[in-house]
């Protein structure tokens, strides 16, 4: 282990590359690590390192939302309805609230 003051650009870049490639952290985690390093060098150690601001930030992956087709939505509703109790059937309570209340009386 070396003190951050003694580390060069290659060391910091290797650390950030390890996070991205070996640990496969998300883009937000990678950005947080980079921001923490920027804060450490600028504010705590009071060392201005111009190369640190030039390190690229990862791009957040854009996710395409999935949309149910009407047929898929109908099949899903039917599957849920098949597992629910029949109309008029009494279901067991899902919480222990009534039992606890009776115990304190």
């Amino acid at each position: 282990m070396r003190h951050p003051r003694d580390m060069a650009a290659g060391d910091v870049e290797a650390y950030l590359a390890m996070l991205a490639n070996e640990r496969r952290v998300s883009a937000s985690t990678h950005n947080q690590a980079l921001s923490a390093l920027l804060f450490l060098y600028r504010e705590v150690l009071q060392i201005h390192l111009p190369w640190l601001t030039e390190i690229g930030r990862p791009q957040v992956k854009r996710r395409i939302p999935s949309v149910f087709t009407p047929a898929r939505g109908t099949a899903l509703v039917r599957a849920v309805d098949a597992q629910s109790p029949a109309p008029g059937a009494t279901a067991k309570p899902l919480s222990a609230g009534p039992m606890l209340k009776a115990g304190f009386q």
Side-chain angles (χ1 to χ4, degrees), residues 6-63:
D6 302 329
M7 296 176 79
D11 298 322
V12 175
E13 288 176 359
Y15 171 71
L16 291 171
M18 182 272 304
L19 286 178
N21 300 327
E22 293 175 27
R23 299 269 177 101
R24 298 192 185 278
V25 299
S26 67
S28 63
T29 301
H30 192 275
N31 281 327
Q32 187 173 10
L34 179 55
S35 294
L37 287 170
L38 287 169
F39 178 82
L40 171 70
Y41 279 101
R42 285 184 193 156
E43 305 299 325
V44 178
L45 298 175
Q46 296 180 350
I47 298 173
H48 179 68
L49 301 174
W51 54 264
L52 196 54
T53 57
E54 295 172 5
I55 293 177
R57 293 182 179 264
Q59 299 297 317
V60 177
K61 291 181 182 177
R62 292 190 59 132
R63 299 200 172 139

Side-chain angles (χ1 to χ4, degrees), residues 81 84-90:
D81 282 345
S84 61
T90 56

